[in-house]
Coordinates of all heavy atoms in Angstrom, one line a residue:
D2 N 69.7 113.3 117.2 CA 68.7 114.2 116.7 C 68.9 114.6 115.3 O 68.0 115.1 114.6 CB 68.6 115.5 117.6 CG 68.1 115.2 119.0 OD1 67.4 114.1 119.1 OD2 68.3 116.0 119.9
Y3 N 70.1 114.5 114.8 CA 70.4 114.8 113.4 C 69.7 113.9 112.4 O 69.6 114.2 111.2 CB 71.9 114.9 113.1 CG 72.6 115.9 113.9 CD1 73.4 115.6 115.0 CD2 72.5 117.3 113.5 CE1 74.1 116.6 115.7 CE2 73.2 118.3 114.3 CZ 73.9 117.9 115.3 OH 74.6 118.9 116.1
N4 N 69.3 112.7 112.9 CA 68.6 111.7 112.0 C 69.3 111.4 110.7 O 68.7 111.2 109.7 CB 67.2 112.3 111.7 CG 66.3 112.3 112.9 OD1 66.5 111.6 113.8 ND2 65.3 113.2 112.9
R5 N 70.6 111.3 110.8 CA 71.4 110.9 109.6 C 71.5 109.3 109.7 O 71.8 108.7 110.7 CB 72.8 111.5 109.6 CG 72.8 113.0 109.3 CD 74.1 113.6 109.4 NE 75.2 112.7 108.9 CZ 76.5 112.8 109.3 NH1 76.8 113.6 110.2 NH2 77.4 112.0 108.7
G6 N 71.3 108.7 108.5 CA 71.2 107.2 108.5 C 72.6 106.6 108.7 O 72.6 105.4 109.1
D7 N 73.7 107.3 108.6 CA 75.0 106.7 108.8 C 75.5 106.8 110.2 O 76.5 106.3 110.6 CB 76.0 107.3 107.8 CG 76.2 108.8 108.0 OD1 75.3 109.4 108.6 OD2 77.2 109.3 107.6
L8 N 74.8 107.5 111.1 CA 75.2 107.6 112.5 C 75.0 106.2 113.2 O 74.0 105.5 112.8 CB 74.3 108.6 113.2 CG 74.6 110.1 112.9 CD1 73.6 111.0 113.6 CD2 76.0 110.5 113.3
M9 N 75.8 105.9 114.1 CA 75.8 104.6 114.8 C 75.3 104.8 116.2 O 75.8 105.6 117.0 CB 77.2 104.0 114.8 CG 77.9 103.8 113.4 SD 77.0 102.6 112.4 CE 77.5 101.1 113.3
V10 N 74.3 104.0 116.5 CA 73.7 104.0 117.9 C 74.4 103.0 118.8 O 74.4 101.8 118.5 CB 72.2 103.6 117.8 CG1 71.5 103.8 119.1 CG2 71.5 104.5 116.7
P11 N 74.9 103.5 119.9 CA 75.6 102.6 120.9 C 74.6 101.9 121.8 O 73.5 102.4 122.0 CB 76.5 103.6 121.7 CG 75.7 104.8 121.7 CD 75.0 104.9 120.4
I12 N 74.9 100.7 122.3 CA 74.0 100.0 123.1 C 74.1 100.5 124.6 O 73.3 100.1 125.4 CB 74.3 98.5 123.1 CG1 75.7 98.1 123.5 CG2 74.0 97.9 121.7 CD1 75.9 96.6 123.7
V13 N 75.1 101.3 124.9 CA 75.1 101.9 126.2 C 75.5 103.4 126.0 O 75.9 103.8 125.0 CB 76.2 101.2 127.1 CG1 75.8 99.8 127.5 CG2 77.6 101.2 126.4
R14 N 75.3 104.2 127.1 CA 75.6 105.6 127.0 C 77.0 106.0 127.4 O 77.5 107.1 127.2 CB 74.6 106.4 127.8 CG 73.1 106.1 127.4 CD 72.9 106.5 125.9 NE 71.6 106.1 125.4 CZ 71.3 105.1 124.6 NH1 72.3 104.3 124.2 NH2 70.1 104.9 124.2
S15 N 77.7 105.0 128.1 CA 79.1 105.2 128.5 C 79.7 103.8 128.7 O 79.0 102.9 129.0 CB 79.2 106.0 129.8 OG 79.0 105.3 130.9
P16 N 81.1 103.8 128.6 CA 81.8 102.5 128.8 C 81.5 101.9 130.2 O 81.5 100.7 130.4 CB 83.2 102.8 128.6 CG 83.2 104.0 127.8 CD 82.0 104.8 128.2
D17 N 81.3 102.7 131.2 CA 81.1 102.3 132.6 C 79.8 101.5 132.7 O 79.6 100.7 133.7 CB 81.0 103.5 133.5 CG 82.4 104.1 133.7 OD1 83.4 103.4 133.6 OD2 82.4 105.3 133.9
E18 N 78.9 101.5 131.8 CA 77.6 100.8 131.9 C 77.8 99.3 131.4 O 76.8 98.6 131.5 CB 76.6 101.5 131.0 CG 76.1 102.8 131.6 CD 75.1 103.5 130.8 OE1 75.0 103.3 129.6 OE2 74.3 104.3 131.4
I19 N 79.0 99.0 131.0 CA 79.3 97.6 130.6 C 80.1 97.0 131.8 O 81.3 97.2 131.9 CB 80.1 97.5 129.3 CG1 79.3 98.1 128.2 CG2 80.3 96.0 129.0 CD1 80.0 98.2 126.9
L20 N 79.4 96.1 132.6 CA 80.1 95.4 133.7 C 80.8 94.2 133.0 O 80.3 93.5 132.2 CB 79.2 95.0 134.7 CG 78.6 96.0 135.7 CD1 77.8 97.1 135.1 CD2 77.8 95.3 136.8
V21 N 82.1 94.0 133.5 CA 82.9 92.9 132.9 C 83.3 92.0 134.1 O 83.9 92.5 135.1 CB 84.1 93.4 132.1 CG1 84.9 92.2 131.6 CG2 83.6 94.3 131.0
I22 N 83.1 90.7 134.0 CA 83.6 89.8 135.0 C 84.3 88.6 134.3 O 84.0 88.3 133.1 CB 82.6 89.3 136.0 CG1 81.5 88.4 135.3 CG2 81.9 90.4 136.7 CD1 80.6 87.7 136.3
Y23 N 85.1 87.8 135.0 CA 85.7 86.6 134.5 C 85.1 85.4 135.1 O 84.9 85.4 136.4 CB 87.2 86.7 134.9 CG 88.0 85.4 134.6 CD1 88.7 85.3 133.4 CD2 88.1 84.4 135.5 CE1 89.5 84.1 133.2 CE2 88.8 83.3 135.3 CZ 89.5 83.1 134.1 OH 90.3 82.0 133.8
G24 N 84.7 84.4 134.3 CA 84.0 83.2 134.9 C 83.7 82.2 133.8 O 83.8 82.4 132.6
G25 N 83.3 81.0 134.3 CA 83.0 79.9 133.4 C 84.0 78.9 133.4 O 85.1 78.9 134.0
G26 N 83.8 77.8 132.5 CA 84.7 76.7 132.4 C 85.4 76.7 131.1 O 85.5 77.7 130.4
A27 N 85.9 75.5 130.7 CA 86.7 75.4 129.4 C 85.8 75.5 128.2 O 84.5 75.4 128.3 CB 87.3 74.0 129.4
G28 N 86.4 75.9 127.1 CA 85.6 76.1 125.9 C 85.7 77.6 125.5 O 85.8 78.4 126.3
R29 N 85.6 77.8 124.2 CA 85.8 79.2 123.7 C 84.4 79.9 123.6 O 83.9 80.2 122.5 CB 86.5 79.2 122.3 CG 87.9 78.6 122.4 CD 88.7 78.8 121.2 NE 89.0 80.2 121.0 CZ 89.9 80.9 121.6 NH1 90.7 80.4 122.6 NH2 90.1 82.2 121.4
H30 N 83.8 80.0 124.8 CA 82.5 80.6 124.9 C 82.6 81.7 126.0 O 83.3 81.6 127.0 CB 81.5 79.6 125.4 CG 81.4 78.4 124.5 ND1 80.8 78.4 123.3 CD2 81.9 77.1 124.7 CE1 80.9 77.2 122.7 NE2 81.6 76.4 123.6
S31 N 81.9 82.8 125.8 CA 81.7 83.9 126.7 C 80.2 84.2 126.7 O 79.4 83.5 126.0 CB 82.5 85.1 126.5 OG 83.9 84.8 126.6
A32 N 79.8 85.2 127.4 CA 78.3 85.5 127.3 C 78.2 87.0 127.6 O 79.0 87.6 128.3 CB 77.5 84.7 128.3
W33 N 77.1 87.6 127.1 CA 76.7 88.9 127.6 C 75.2 88.8 128.1 O 74.5 87.9 127.7 CB 76.8 90.0 126.5 CG 75.7 90.0 125.4 CD1 75.4 89.2 124.5 CD2 74.7 91.1 125.3 NE1 74.3 89.6 123.7 CE2 73.9 90.8 124.2 CE3 74.5 92.3 126.0 CZ2 72.9 91.6 123.8 CZ3 73.4 93.1 125.6 CH2 72.6 92.8 124.5
V34 N 75.0 89.5 129.1 CA 73.7 89.5 129.8 C 73.1 90.9 129.6 O 73.5 91.9 130.2 CB 73.8 89.2 131.3 CG1 72.5 89.1 131.9 CG2 74.6 87.9 131.5
P35 N 72.1 91.0 128.7 CA 71.4 92.3 128.5 C 70.8 92.8 129.8 O 70.4 92.0 130.6 CB 70.4 92.1 127.4 CG 70.8 90.8 126.8 CD 71.5 90.0 127.8
G36 N 70.7 94.1 129.9 CA 70.0 94.7 131.1 C 68.6 95.0 130.8 O 68.0 94.5 129.8
W37 N 67.9 95.7 131.7 CA 66.5 96.0 131.5 C 66.3 97.0 130.4 O 65.3 97.1 129.7 CB 66.0 96.6 132.8 CG 64.5 97.0 132.8 CD1 63.6 96.6 132.0 CD2 63.9 97.9 133.8 NE1 62.4 97.2 132.3 CE2 62.5 98.0 133.4 CE3 64.4 98.6 134.9 CZ2 61.6 98.8 134.1 CZ3 63.4 99.4 135.6 CH2 62.1 99.5 135.2
G38 N 67.4 97.8 130.1 CA 67.3 98.9 129.1 C 66.5 100.0 129.6 O 65.5 100.5 128.9
N39 N 66.9 100.5 130.8 CA 66.1 101.7 131.4 C 67.1 102.5 132.1 O 67.2 102.5 133.4 CB 65.0 101.2 132.3 CG 63.7 101.7 131.8 OD1 63.5 102.8 131.4 ND2 62.6 100.8 131.9
V40 N 67.9 103.3 131.4 CA 69.0 104.0 132.0 C 68.5 105.0 133.1 O 69.2 105.4 134.0 CB 69.8 104.8 130.9 CG1 69.0 105.9 130.3 CG2 71.1 105.3 131.5
D41 N 67.3 105.5 133.0 CA 66.7 106.5 133.9 C 66.0 105.9 135.1 O 65.6 106.6 136.0 CB 65.8 107.4 133.2 CG 64.6 106.7 132.6 OD1 64.7 105.5 132.3 OD2 63.5 107.4 132.4
R42 N 65.9 104.5 135.1 CA 65.1 104.0 136.2 C 65.7 102.9 137.0 O 65.2 102.5 138.0 CB 63.7 103.4 135.6 CG 62.9 104.5 135.0 CD 61.6 103.9 134.5 NE 60.8 103.3 135.5 CZ 59.7 102.6 135.3 NH1 59.3 102.4 134.1 NH2 59.0 102.1 136.3
S43 N 66.9 102.3 136.5 CA 67.5 101.3 137.3 C 69.0 101.3 137.1 O 69.5 101.3 136.0 CB 67.0 99.9 136.9 OG 67.6 98.9 137.7
R44 N 69.8 101.4 138.2 CA 71.2 101.3 138.2 C 71.7 100.2 139.1 O 71.1 99.9 140.1 CB 71.8 102.6 138.7 CG 71.3 103.9 138.0 CD 71.5 103.9 136.5 NE 72.9 104.0 136.2 CZ 73.4 104.0 135.0 NH1 72.6 104.0 133.9 NH2 74.7 104.1 134.8
T45 N 72.8 99.6 138.7 CA 73.4 98.5 139.5 C 73.8 99.1 140.9 O 74.2 100.2 141.0 CB 74.6 97.9 138.9 OG1 75.6 98.9 138.6 CG2 74.2 97.1 137.6
V46 N 73.7 98.2 141.9 CA 74.1 98.6 143.2 C 75.1 97.5 143.8 O 74.8 96.3 143.6 CB 72.9 98.7 144.2 CG1 73.3 98.9 145.6 CG2 71.9 99.8 143.7
T47 N 76.2 97.9 144.3 CA 77.1 97.0 145.0 C 77.1 97.2 146.5 O 77.2 98.4 146.9 CB 78.5 97.2 144.5 OG1 78.6 96.9 143.0 CG2 79.5 96.2 145.1
W48 N 76.9 96.1 147.2 CA 76.6 96.2 148.7 C 77.6 95.3 149.4 O 77.8 94.2 149.1 CB 75.2 95.9 149.0 CG 74.7 96.3 150.3 CD1 74.7 95.6 151.5 CD2 74.1 97.6 150.6 NE1 74.2 96.3 152.5 CE2 73.7 97.5 152.0 CE3 73.7 98.7 149.9 CZ2 73.1 98.6 152.7 CZ3 73.1 99.7 150.5 CH2 72.8 99.7 151.9
R49 N 78.2 95.8 150.5 CA 79.1 95.0 151.3 C 78.4 94.0 152.1 O 77.4 94.3 152.7 CB 80.0 95.9 152.2 CG 81.1 95.1 152.9 CD 81.9 96.1 153.7 NE 83.0 95.4 154.4 CZ 82.8 94.9 155.6 NH1 81.6 94.9 156.2 NH2 83.8 94.3 156.2

């Protein structure tokens, strides 16, 4: 709200919103999968 140009906007609101898993094959590649971008309308669910 301070609207200062040097403030940095984070892509998530807390570290817990970044899910991290290990996977893939050989090669120096990883990936990120963006979400819907709707913190107030969709949360991940884990189900047994």
